[in-house]
């Protein structure tokens, strides 16, 4: 029942079929916001460091080509400063467990701490740090018929 409340304002799964449904609505007017780095990037987030997971993330570009949807680059500086995360280098038992649970449940489970309501030493609220968001100009994408026919033929 809780999941229904999450999806009421228009949130959908980040699966290809869900995003394709949003972008193919007659008359347009829908926006799909995708955190390209996804779960693996969340597990590497920590203060003072920034690890982007974009090299092998091209599915959103393929969807933009299929539907002729514009791409708007957005990046926020300072997000990693909001919480501390337990040390979880690749190969550690904690990271192995996090990766295993991510594959099983589809959600990353970073072990993080922040500040409390009345004290600053421990809690689940974010630290009071600025976040600077930069929004680029929309990148027009022309719908590519060859990509469309290729997608439809593959199922």
């Amino acid at each position: 029942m809780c999941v229904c409340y999450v999806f009421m304002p228009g949130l959908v799964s980040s699966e290809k079929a869900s995003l394709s449904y949003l972008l193919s609505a007659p008359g347009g007017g829908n926006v799909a916001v995708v955190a390209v780095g996804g779960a693996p990037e969340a597990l590497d987030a920590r203060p003072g460091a920034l690890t982007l997971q974009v090299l092998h993330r091209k599915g959103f570009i393929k969807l933009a080509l299929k539907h002729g949807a514009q791409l708007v680059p957005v990046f926020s500086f300072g997000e990693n400063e909001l919480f501390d995360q337990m040390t979880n280098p690749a190969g550690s038992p904690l990271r192995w467990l996090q990766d295993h649970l991510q594959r099983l449940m589809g959600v990353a489970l970073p072990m993080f701490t922040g500040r409390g309501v009345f004290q600053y030493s421990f809690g689940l609220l974010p630290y009071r740090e600025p976040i600077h968001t930069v929004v680029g100009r929309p990148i027009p994408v022309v719908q590519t018929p060859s990509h469309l026919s290729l997608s439809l033929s593959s199922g």
Side-chain angles (χ1 to χ4, degrees):
M1 181 137 180
C2 175
V3 174
C4 295
Y5 291 118
V6 171
F7 292 115
M8 278 177 54
L11 297 176
V12 297
S13 165
S14 62
E15 295 176 359
K16 181 180 176 182
S18 298
L19 297 175
S20 194
Y21 170 77
L22 278 179
L23 296 175
S24 65
N30 289 322
V31 175
V33 178
V34 179
V36 178
E41 199 170 283
L43 295 177
D44 288 331
R46 55 189 28 84
L50 178 63
T51 305
L52 297 177
Q53 303 276 336
V54 294
L55 190 57
H56 301 288
R57 304 291 185 135
K58 297 176 230 131
F60 68 101
I61 296 173
K62 291 176 184 178
L63 276 173
L65 286 168
K66 178 180 177 181
H67 297 285
Q70 294 185 32
L71 294 171
V72 181
V74 178
F75 190 81
S76 292
F77 295 90
E79 288 181 335
N80 288 359
E81 310 306 316
L82 299 179
F83 295 97
D84 291 320
Q85 186 173 174
M86 286 181 67
T87 305
N88 61 341
S92 69
L94 176 58
R95 187 56 169 262
W96 179 88
L97 179 64
Q98 288 172 322
D99 289 340
H100 184 72
L101 289 173
Q102 178 188 335
R103 282 191 297 275
L104 187 68
M105 300 185 318
V107 177
L109 297 171
M111 301 295 289
F112 67 92
T113 62
R115 65 177 179 88
V117 176
F118 300 111
Q119 42 75 28
Y120 211 73
S121 59
F122 181 80
L124 297 179
L125 295 177
Y127 293 118
R128 293 182 176 123
E129 296 290 335
I131 298 176
H132 302 282
T133 301
V134 180
V135 181
R137 289 192 178 112
I139 301 168
V141 177
V142 177
Q143 188 172 15
T144 308
S146 63
H147 187 327
L148 183 60
S149 62
L150 191 80
S151 316
L152 294 176
S153 65
S154 63

